[in-house]
Amino acid sequence: MSERLYLFTRFERFWHWTQAGLIVVLLFTGFAIHGSHRLIGFRKAVEAHEIAAWLLIALWIFAIFWHFTTGAWKHYIPTLENVDRMARYYVSGIFTGAPHPYKVTLERKHNPLQRLAYLGVKLAINPLLWASGLLYLFWGRVEGTLPGALGLQQVATIHTLGAFLMLAFLIIHVYLATVGRTPLAHIRAMITGWEEIHGDDTAGRGISRIDRKA
């Protein structure tokens, strides 16, 4: 037996896919700027990188406004309850056919491990990329106001670190998106907005305990 939940609104889907596309463009052009590949010329890579960066910043600002005005920020409130069970499921449970230890609801869209990961992106990786990228872009104007120990090379290194952290998150995110009931189940939900919840996707009484604590 299954039920369908309209889990992701139009804006959430637009925000998710637009952000993903812009991040891919930034990673692709960023590696081109660093000389990691020559699939695009340096000048075009720089121009595309700056345009995509401004679009992403605008999207982030609007998304922050949307999260706080709609109350969607509550889905990212962190909790350490049952994080160990979720970690064990992702590491081994999905390979042994174990039931998913979390029941998705409209009030709790993300499991405890997802909340921590998404919160880390929003509060650590995004600001790191945002701040270092703007410093690099406007270096000529702000250089004299910064500590002497912080040079352009250090800013570039910090920005590159943030890019690799985002790349790592993207790879893990794509992998986990394929571990639903079918490889495309979660991806389809982020396209249509509808999530299929099956009766055997949960772990019975164990789910009730997680739902009350998470």
Side-chain angles (χ1 to χ4, degrees):
M1 184 177 179
S2 64
E3 62 174 309
R4 298 179 77 214
L5 287 179
Y6 187 63
L7 205 60
F8 304 109
T9 65
R10 288 181 179 179
F11 176 76
E12 286 177 294
R13 301 192 316 267
F14 165 78
W15 167 59
H16 176 274
W17 291 112
T18 304
Q19 178 178 232
L22 289 172
I23 288 174
V24 169
V25 170
L26 285 166
L27 288 170
F28 177 78
T29 55
F31 281 119
I33 292 171
H34 277 269
S36 299
H37 67 79
R38 297 186 179 181
L39 298 175
I40 183 176
F42 178 82
R43 185 177 296 277
K44 289 184 178 180
V46 171
E47 293 176 353
H49 196 80
E50 289 186 10
I51 293 173
W54 283 118
L55 290 174
L56 185 57
I57 288 175
L59 182 64
W60 280 344
I61 292 173
F62 192 77
I64 291 171
F65 172 79
W66 180 86
H67 276 83
F68 279 98
T69 55
T70 63
W73 62 272
K74 296 177 183 178
H75 294 294
Y76 300 94
I77 297 177
T79 174
L80 295 179
E81 294 288 351
N82 298 294
V83 168
D84 56 334
R85 293 185 64 183
M86 287 306 311
R88 287 198 299 271
Y89 173 77
Y90 283 135
V91 171
S92 61
I94 56 177
F95 302 109
T96 60
H100 199 293
Y102 187 80
K103 182 179 181 181
V104 174
T105 69
L106 291 176
E107 295 75 26
R108 292 178 294 272
K109 296 183 181 182
H110 308 306
N111 66 56
L113 203 57
Q114 287 175 315
R115 296 186 200 183
L116 291 174
Y118 296 156
L119 193 66
V121 171
K122 294 177 183 296
L123 297 184
I125 298 179
N126 284 356
L128 185 67
L129 286 168
W130 192 336
S132 61
L134 290 176
L135 280 176
Y136 197 90
L137 183 62
F138 297 105
W139 182 254
R141 300 182 184 180
V142 302
E143 181 180 5
T145 65
L146 299 174
L150 183 63
L152 186 59
Q153 182 60 48
Q154 285 73 34
V155 172
T157 300
I158 293 172
H159 194 67
T160 302
L161 172 62
F164 274 106
L165 290 175
M166 180 62 77
L167 176 61
F169 170 80
L170 183 63
I171 293 172
I172 295 172
H173 184 68
V174 171
Y175 164 67
L176 293 180
T178 66
V179 298
R181 171 172 283 271
T182 66
L184 296 178
H186 293 324
I187 297 174
R188 188 180 298 112
M190 187 51 74
I191 294 175
T192 66
W194 292 92
E195 178 85 34
E196 292 280 349
I197 307 297
H198 296 265
D200 57 347
D201 283 345
T202 60
R205 295 173 61 187
I207 282 297
S208 298
R209 290 195 296 272
I210 291 183
D211 282 349
R212 287 196 297 269
K213 294 180 179 179

